[in-house]
């Protein structure tokens, strides 16, 4: 747990409130993050449906702003995640629903100054040719790149683990999509946990793709717990990313092995906000 004995990097942390502080109702989590010492947070899509009621959006925006934390990352609507959905970017037949949801996300971004948006690619769909899904994905990502540009935003594309029908598992597979797309503000989300458990060599990924990384998330492996609960050299990887030029946030997206507050023991309070 290198952070306790002096970190090898000075990257900023944010806390993912769809994974941590889930002991609390969603609207109370931003305040809990602030009390824990953080000034930056991220969320998966914080609503049950693609297009929530205006009152629900207002309540979410107020919870974040009243807590005095900054929303630095937001997932676009990704379907029914508990049931196994992993995004709508390539989901043929749900294009209108997704774009309506994107409008909501951009409205939130304008109110909270959020500039990083995670667009989960989507699972393969039975009965639909993968090539057709990939064609839709490129069209959707191109659309998203244009939509977030006026707010100074970037879209990040994430390889995932534990999702058998999700086609992007390695950094190389995600970067191949980025290369086909050719939009500078669509970048790689390097979740060190997902990459590691999918077999990517993290040092090799950093050496080859650090310049393509738009956001970083961490959890330890095995187990997806807090740093220090597994075997990954997370601090070393973050130091290498910083040395390679990465200067963005590091999202704490792990499953606490105890309660959320206690699981932060590895990170000194003075390192939770910079």
């Amino acid at each position: 747990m290198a952070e306790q004995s002096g970190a090898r990097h000075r990257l900023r942390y944010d806390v993912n409130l769809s994974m941590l502080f889930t002991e609390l109702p969603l609207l109370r989590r931003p305040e809990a993050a602030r009390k824990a010492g953080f000034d930056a947070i991220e969320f998966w899509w914080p609503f049950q449906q693609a297009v929530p009621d205006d009152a629900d959006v207002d309540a979410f925006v107020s919870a974040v702003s009243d807590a005095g934390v900054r929303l630095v990352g937001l997932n676009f609507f990704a379907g029914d995640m508990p049931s196994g959905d992993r995004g709508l970017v390539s989901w043929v037949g749900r294009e209108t629903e997704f774009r309506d949801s994107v409008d909501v996300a951009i409205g939130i971004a304008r109110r909270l100054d959020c500039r990083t948006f995670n667009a989960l690619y989507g699972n393969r769909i039975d009965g639909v040719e993968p090539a057709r899904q990939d064609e839709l994905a490129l069209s959707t990502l191109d659309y998203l790149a244009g939509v977030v540009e006026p707010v100074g935003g970037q879209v990040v594309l994430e390889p995932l683990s534990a999702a058998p029908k999700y086609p992007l598992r390695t950094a190389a597979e995600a970067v191949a999509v980025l290369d086909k797309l050719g939009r500078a503000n669509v970048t790689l989300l390097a979740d060190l946990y997902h990459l590691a458990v999918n077999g990517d060599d993290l040092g090799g990924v950093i050496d080859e793709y650090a310049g393509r990384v738009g956001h970083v998330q961490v959890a330890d492996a095995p187990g997806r717990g807090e740093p220090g609960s597994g075997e990954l050299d997370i601090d070393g990887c973050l130091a290498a990313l910083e040395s390679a030029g990465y200067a963005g946030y590091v999202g704490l997206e792990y499953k606490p092995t105890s309660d959320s507050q206690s699981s932060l023991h590895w990170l000194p309070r003075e390192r939770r906000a910079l």
Side-chain angles (χ1 to χ4, degrees):
M1 289 177 276
E3 284 285 359
Q4 292 183 328
S5 58
R8 289 175 275 168
H9 68 90
R10 295 296 296 173
L11 294 175
R12 301 166 293 176
Y13 290 101
D14 74 81
V15 58
N16 186 302
L17 294 181
S18 296
M19 291 284 284
L20 278 83
F21 293 102
T22 58
E23 304 94 335
L24 299 172
L26 186 143
L27 295 181
R28 290 177 55 194
R29 296 175 202 169
E31 180 183 9
R34 184 64 182 179
K35 288 181 177 179
F38 292 93
D39 61 3
I41 63 171
E42 61 181 58
F43 268 98
W44 299 348
W45 188 243
F47 310 106
Q48 294 297 315
Q49 62 270 40
V51 180
D53 293 338
D54 289 346
D56 291 333
V57 174
D58 291 343
F60 174 75
V61 170
S62 295
V64 175
S65 58
D66 290 350
V69 292
R70 182 183 174 199
L71 182 69
V72 300
L74 179 66
N75 282 30
F76 288 122
F77 178 65
D80 187 351
M81 294 276 284
S83 295
D85 293 347
R86 291 296 182 269
L88 271 63
V89 167
S90 66
W91 195 321
V92 175
R94 298 184 73 175
E95 296 91 339
T96 299
E97 176 189 11
F98 182 64
R99 293 196 180 202
D100 288 346
S101 181
V102 169
D103 290 342
V104 176
I106 298 303
I108 292 170
R110 290 187 182 277
R111 297 170 70 180
L112 294 175
D113 195 29
C114 181
R115 297 180 182 177
T116 296
F117 305 88
N118 186 1
L120 293 182
Y121 195 87
N123 294 329
R124 292 305 191 198
I125 303 170
D126 292 341
V128 179
E129 287 294 326
R132 186 181 176 198
Q133 285 195 257
D134 294 338
E135 181 180 2
L136 174 60
L138 288 175
S139 174
T140 302
L141 290 169
D142 186 67
Y143 160 77
L144 293 175
V147 167
V148 306
E149 192 170 22
V151 297
Q154 65 170 345
V155 176
V156 290
L157 191 62
E158 182 180 16
L160 294 180
S161 62
K165 293 185 177 181
Y166 191 87
L168 306 182
R169 297 180 56 80
T170 66
E173 288 170 339
V175 169
V177 176
L178 302 182
D179 287 342
K180 290 178 183 177
L181 181 65
R183 295 292 294 253
N185 67 337
V186 184
T187 59
L188 173 66
L189 195 167
D191 184 310
L192 302 186
Y193 168 80
H194 287 309
L195 296 175
V197 300
N198 282 345
D200 259 345
D201 174 73
L202 296 182
V205 167
I206 293 166
D207 287 344
E208 190 165 359
Y209 300 122
R212 311 295 296 274
V213 173
H215 188 53
V216 174
Q217 292 174 335
V218 296
D220 216 332
R224 205 178 182 181
E226 63 269 15
S229 63
E231 301 172 356
L232 297 183
D233 181 12
I234 293 173
D235 204 49
C237 289
L238 297 179
L241 279 161
E242 183 181 46
S243 180
Y246 180 73
Y249 280 92
V250 176
L252 304 182
E253 195 192 51
Y254 62 76
K255 297 177 181 178
T257 59
S258 58
D259 65 278
S260 296
Q261 181 66 52
S262 298
S263 79
L264 292 164
H265 62 86
W266 62 277
L267 184 62
R269 192 175 182 90
E270 63 269 17
R271 286 288 287 123
R272 299 177 190 182
L274 293 176

